[in-house]
Amino acid sequence: MAQYVYGKNVIQQILRDNKKIDVLYVSDNQKDIEQTARKKGIRIEKADRKYLDKLSNNGNHQGVVAKVEEYKTVSIDEMLKRIPEDKLGFLVLLDELEDPHNLGAILRTADAVGADGIIIKKNNAVGLTATVAKVSAGAIETVPVADVTNLTQTLKQLKEKGYWVVGTDMKNAQDYRQPKYDTPIVLVIGNEGKGISRLVKEECDFLVQLPMVGEISSLNASVACGILMYEVYNKRFPL
């Protein structure tokens, strides 16, 4: 099944990764992208911006849209096999995250810190959509994503493989700067409104919280996840 993705960064990453593009639609001058696409033998069609608006569902396409194969997920086993033997694994599990902008932003930060994969729920959660691809700025091509039916069973399996599960919560949690993060880690981020579900929380080895000293009581899911991912990076690669 094909889907449409858009935006210069996304298209450039797709071209670098040699992902199959059926048709590349361009409006105004996209010289670099068109030149690369021609070298790869990709069919290019000129289109007005109104048509690109329709293909991208009025997204910020920047004058370029590609018809590509549907984004594919990987299995947990495949994700783990990609992690080098001398590296402490670092995975992020998203508990029914719904906003594609949050998923895209988390993918982008995951790429930046060298996280080894994102785990999402197959149902009742956002998947790998064109909006996710655009917000990720190409990271949807570089960070493996696994979609699973049962998050708690997945966490149990990962714990058997030596992973420690770190959840986020505002109650009965330690400051996020306290842990050493010196074991393989699964960082769990909850739903934008409900947080982490009870069964998933029961699988967490410990909980962490971000200090909140202002008037607002919570952070956007992708912002909180980004801070925590960089704290893991900081502890593992200190100055």
Side-chain angles (χ1 to χ4, degrees):
M1 183 177 178
Q3 67 179 165
Y4 294 95
V5 296
Y6 52 88
K8 293 180 181 180
N9 287 334
V10 177
I11 304 302
Q12 287 168 342
Q13 187 64 53
I14 288 173
L15 289 169
R16 284 194 292 268
D17 292 343
N18 294 315
K19 183 179 176 72
K20 186 173 184 286
I21 296 179
D22 293 326
V23 187
L24 182 67
Y25 298 94
V26 297
S27 59
D28 42 26
N29 184 22
Q30 303 288 344
K31 184 177 179 181
D32 292 341
I33 290 176
E34 289 184 54
Q35 189 176 46
T36 303
R38 286 195 182 92
K39 288 180 180 178
K40 295 177 180 289
I42 295 169
R43 180 177 146 206
I44 299 172
E45 288 193 10
K46 293 290 184 179
D48 60 31
R49 296 187 73 86
K50 187 174 181 180
Y51 185 64
L52 297 187
D53 289 341
K54 180 180 178 181
L55 293 181
S56 65
N57 196 25
N58 293 314
N60 182 21
H61 51 71
Q62 299 173 300
V64 58
V65 176
K67 183 181 180 183
V68 300
E69 293 179 337
E70 188 173 10
Y71 282 105
K72 292 180 174 61
T73 56
V74 301
S75 68
I76 294 294
D77 286 340
E78 185 179 350
M79 181 179 286
L80 295 178
K81 285 178 183 177
R82 296 185 183 187
I83 303 174
E85 291 184 6
D86 60 348
K87 182 184 181 187
L88 287 176
F90 181 22
L91 307 176
V92 179
L93 182 141
L94 306 176
D95 187 1
E96 296 192 9
L97 206 71
E98 297 176 348
D99 187 344
H101 295 87
N102 276 332
L103 178 53
I106 288 170
L107 280 164
R108 188 170 182 174
T109 308
D111 176 90
V113 302
D116 299 296
I118 305 291
I119 302 168
I120 60 176
K121 195 173 181 183
K122 189 166 290 188
N123 303 308
N124 302 319
V126 64
L128 299 182
T129 66
T131 300
V132 172
K134 176 68 170 64
V135 177
S136 79
I140 196 171
E141 296 285 343
T142 63
V143 180
V145 177
D147 60 342
V148 300
T149 304
N150 191 309
L151 295 178
T152 56
Q153 287 301 315
T154 298
L155 288 174
K156 288 179 188 293
Q157 294 167 10
L158 289 168
K159 289 168 78 170
E160 290 174 359
K161 296 179 182 295
Y163 279 79
W164 284 64
V165 182
V166 182
T168 50
D169 198 26
M170 294 303 292
K171 298 180 181 178
N172 302 315
Q174 59 185 302
D175 189 289
Y176 78 105
R177 293 164 292 185
Q178 286 182 277
K180 294 182 179 179
Y181 305 108
D182 56 357
T183 63
I185 289 290
V186 184
L187 174 63
V188 180
I189 302 296
N191 171 274
E192 291 91 345
K194 298 178 291 186
I196 299 176
S197 60
R198 179 181 60 83
L199 293 176
V200 170
K201 189 179 292 186
E202 288 176 359
E203 294 301 322
C204 294
D205 294 298
F206 59 91
L207 300 173
V208 296
Q209 64 175 329
L210 293 163
M212 303 291 294
V213 299
E215 298 297 324
I216 309 301
S217 61
S218 64
L219 287 172
N220 173 279
S222 63
V223 172
C225 187
I227 294 169
L228 293 168
M229 281 194 278
Y230 263 101
E231 180 63 13
V232 175
Y233 179 88
N234 177 53
K235 287 292 174 61
R236 292 183 176 184
F237 304 99
L239 290 176

